[in-house]
Amino acid sequence: MSRKAYSTDITDADWEILQPLIPPAKTGGRTRTVDMREIINAMLYIQKSGYSWRLLPHDLPPWPTVYNYFRTWRRSGVWEKMNQALKRENSKFP
């Protein structure tokens, strides 16, 4: 990460919990070019700040990309699994 950290960024310990829960990139599609940890950091920034997706800071991934992952993961249950896993570990995760 080459940017200044936000207070909403996940810790290394939280990343170790979340990383295995991230679905793999679709086979046959384009290679994933976005940093998945930054996607989660952006989701948490929105969740904790209450800002609109379009107000996501420019040093995080583009808001349409972040929103697409959020929507997909919420619909598939991945986002809920992530929340539950981190809550079990007594993390600062909301």
Side-chain angles (χ1 to χ4, degrees):
M1 176 171 42
S2 62
R3 63 171 175 78
K4 184 177 176 185
Y6 291 102
S7 63
T8 56
D9 287 352
I10 60 172
T11 64
D12 290 341
D14 289 343
W15 177 240
E16 292 300 317
I17 295 166
L18 293 180
Q19 195 170 15
L21 299 174
I22 296 172
K26 293 180 183 178
T27 56
R30 290 183 290 177
T31 303
R32 186 179 277 166
T33 58
V34 66
D35 180 347
M36 298 312 290
R37 184 170 179 163
E38 286 291 87
I39 292 291
I40 293 170
N41 284 334
M43 290 177 187
L44 292 176
Y45 182 91
I46 293 296
Q47 183 178 22
K48 291 180 180 182
S49 70
Y51 292 149
S52 164
W53 290 103
R54 291 178 185 265
L55 295 177
L56 196 62
H58 296 289
D59 57 349
L60 290 168
W63 78 264
T65 303
V66 176
Y67 179 71
N68 184 54
Y69 276 106
F70 175 76
R71 187 183 62 209
T72 301
W73 290 353
R74 191 187 66 212
R75 287 180 180 172
S76 67
V78 170
W79 187 242
E80 181 63 27
K81 288 178 186 176
M82 288 178 172
N83 279 276
Q84 290 172 355
L86 289 173
K87 286 178 183 177
R88 279 193 303 273
E89 297 297 324
N90 297 316
S91 140
K92 70 173 187 171
F93 202 75

